[in-house]
Amino acid sequence: MSFEVQDLYDVIKIVTLLILSKTPRIEIGKLRGRIEELCEHRICVELGDLNRALSELANEGLITVKGEYIELTSVGLKVSGDWKSLLLKSEPILEVVAGLTDGSITGLMVILSSFFAGLSSKLTVFAALLTLASVAITNFSSFFLGGVTEDISEIISVKRLMDYSLSDNPDKGQRLKAIELLKQVFTLLNREIQKSNIMSAVVCAFTTLFAGFTPIAVYLMLPTPYNLLGSIVLIGSIVILLLARYRSKMTKIPLKITLLETLIIILIATFASILLGINL
């Protein structure tokens, strides 16, 4: 399937893949109804246009047609997921990475401060609650407001490129129908993106709390000096097993490289925080 959107059939194919990303198997008649419902019945998707688009998807190996039903192939499942990720920003990669990083560093700072200052358990818990809550709330608000702004801005750019590509279609009727369908699709995408960003912000906040409170809990439960050693080992495990592996998986970069990058960033941030604390 070409990435460039050139005609009505390409738009129908994209909409079909987005619908199938949620329901890998669907009846053709129901699919047509979903598309028209998506457009609030402002345009009528002709059965011939739909069948041609489905035929192209089948020829490209993205779907299989079984009687009145269509179903995604393994390749189609990946492509539909890619379109969903591109248009809906549904993969909270940055949120998880930021949450694990901020939570780990904040937790480490609380633990080191408590250990060297000789704080009691109550004061350590108070410091942890105050610090991690402020970081989590900041992450939530930043990712929600910033995420919505960034994602919608990117979606507008994608829509402009698609509109420009469709404008070359010599068939005026098909061109207008394709542009109208695309307009309705992106109207829906704007609403979905706002919902997705709320979830992403929540994911980031909870990931921050998890990465921060877990080593602090270990620090409070174990006796000295095993508490410091155990909590640092746990933070290292979070960084290595969760953060570095997650980055490696999502970016398709070897684990050794992502691990080295992650450790360098964590160490720089940690030492910077310690130096600031000493100077203050």
Side-chain angles (χ1 to χ4, degrees), residues 110 114 120-131 213 216 220:
V110 171
S114 175
S120 65
S121 297
K122 289 185 178 180
L123 287 176
T124 302
V125 171
F126 176 76
L129 288 172
L130 186 64
T131 307
F213 274 122
I216 292 173
L220 293 173

Side-chain angles (χ1 to χ4, degrees), residues 22 83-96 139-140 142-152 154-155 188-205:
K22 296 181 179 180
W83 274 107
K84 182 180 179 182
S85 179
L86 173 67
L87 297 178
L88 290 177
K89 310 294 180 180
S90 58
E91 192 70 41
I93 299 174
L94 182 60
E95 293 82 351
V96 173
N139 280 350
F140 176 88
S142 298
F143 274 94
F144 176 61
L145 297 176
V148 169
T149 304
E150 180 182 10
D151 290 346
I152 291 181
E154 290 178 359
I155 283 296
L188 176 65
L189 288 177
N190 284 340
R191 294 196 294 265
E192 292 296 325
I193 283 174
Q194 294 188 33
K195 295 178 184 177
S196 176
N197 273 279
I198 292 176
M199 291 303 301
S200 295
V202 171
V203 167
C204 184

Side-chain angles (χ1 to χ4, degrees), residues 137-174:
I137 292 172
T138 301
N139 280 350
F140 176 88
S141 57
S142 298
F143 274 94
F144 176 61
L145 297 176
V148 169
T149 304
E150 180 182 10
D151 290 346
I152 291 181
S153 175
E154 290 178 359
I155 283 296
I156 291 173
S157 298
V158 172
K159 184 179 182 300
R160 284 175 182 164
L161 292 172
M162 290 184 176
D163 284 340
Y164 178 76
S165 182
L166 287 170
S167 65
D168 291 336
N169 192 326
D171 188 330
K172 182 179 179 180
Q174 189 188 84

Side-chain angles (χ1 to χ4, degrees), residues 27-255:
E27 188 179 358
I28 295 177
K30 188 175 181 181
L31 172 64
R32 183 184 180 188
R34 291 278 297 275
I35 294 175
E36 291 188 349
E37 182 181 341
L38 175 67
C39 302
E40 299 177 348
H41 300 281
R42 294 186 181 183
I43 63 172
C44 177
V45 177
E46 301 292 340
L47 185 59
D49 294 335
L50 178 60
N51 286 335
R52 176 171 171 177
L54 295 179
S55 177
E56 291 182 6
L57 285 173
N59 291 334
E60 293 163 2
L62 300 180
I63 66 169
T64 56
V65 181
K66 299 178 180 179
E68 293 298 318
Y69 288 85
I70 60 171
E71 186 175 357
L72 284 175
T73 62
S74 57
V75 177
L77 195 60
K78 293 179 182 178
V79 173
S80 67
D82 289 338
W83 274 107
K84 182 180 179 182
S85 179
L86 173 67
L87 297 178
L88 290 177
K89 310 294 180 180
S90 58
E91 192 70 41
I93 299 174
L94 182 60
E95 293 82 351
V96 173
V97 171
L100 290 175
T101 303
D102 292 350
S104 299
I105 294 174
T106 304
L108 181 59
M109 290 301 98
V110 171
I111 290 168
L112 292 177
S113 300
S114 175
F115 182 81
F116 289 115
L119 299 180
S120 65
S121 297
K122 289 185 178 180
L123 287 176
T124 302
V125 171
F126 176 76
L129 288 172
L130 186 64
T131 307
L132 282 170
S134 62
V135 173
I137 292 172
T138 301
N139 280 350
F140 176 88
S141 57
S142 298
F143 274 94
F144 176 61
L145 297 176
V148 169
T149 304
E150 180 182 10
D151 290 346
I152 291 181
S153 175
E154 290 178 359
I155 283 296
I156 291 173
S157 298
V158 172
K159 184 179 182 300
R160 284 175 182 164
L161 292 172
M162 290 184 176
D163 284 340
Y164 178 76
S165 182
L166 287 170
S167 65
D168 291 336
N169 192 326
D171 188 330
K172 182 179 179 180
Q174 189 188 84
R175 181 176 69 249
L176 293 177
K177 188 180 289 188
I179 291 175
E180 180 64 25
L181 176 57
L182 198 63
K183 177 183 176 182
Q184 296 303 318
V185 169
F186 276 89
T187 299
L188 176 65
L189 288 177
N190 284 340
R191 294 196 294 265
E192 292 296 325
I193 283 174
Q194 294 188 33
K195 295 178 184 177
S196 176
N197 273 279
I198 292 176
M199 291 303 301
S200 295
V202 171
V203 167
C204 184
F206 275 100
T207 306
T208 302
L209 294 175
F210 165 77
F213 274 122
T214 304
I216 292 173
V218 171
Y219 174 79
L220 293 173
M221 288 188 295
L222 295 178
T224 307
Y226 302 108
N227 55 354
L228 180 63
L229 179 62
S231 58
I232 290 178
V233 169
L234 181 57
I235 290 174
S237 300
I238 292 174
V239 171
I240 295 172
L241 298 179
L242 294 181
L243 183 54
R245 286 182 65 86
Y246 183 78
R247 290 186 63 234
S248 176
K249 177 183 177 182
M250 301 310 299
T251 59
K252 309 301 180 184
I253 296 175
L255 179 59

Side-chain angles (χ1 to χ4, degrees), residues 10-29:
D10 287 338
V11 179
I12 294 175
K13 287 193 288 184
I14 292 173
V15 176
T16 300
L17 289 174
L18 288 174
I19 292 174
L20 289 174
S21 66
K22 296 181 179 180
T23 308
R25 187 173 186 269
I26 192 172
E27 188 179 358
I28 295 177

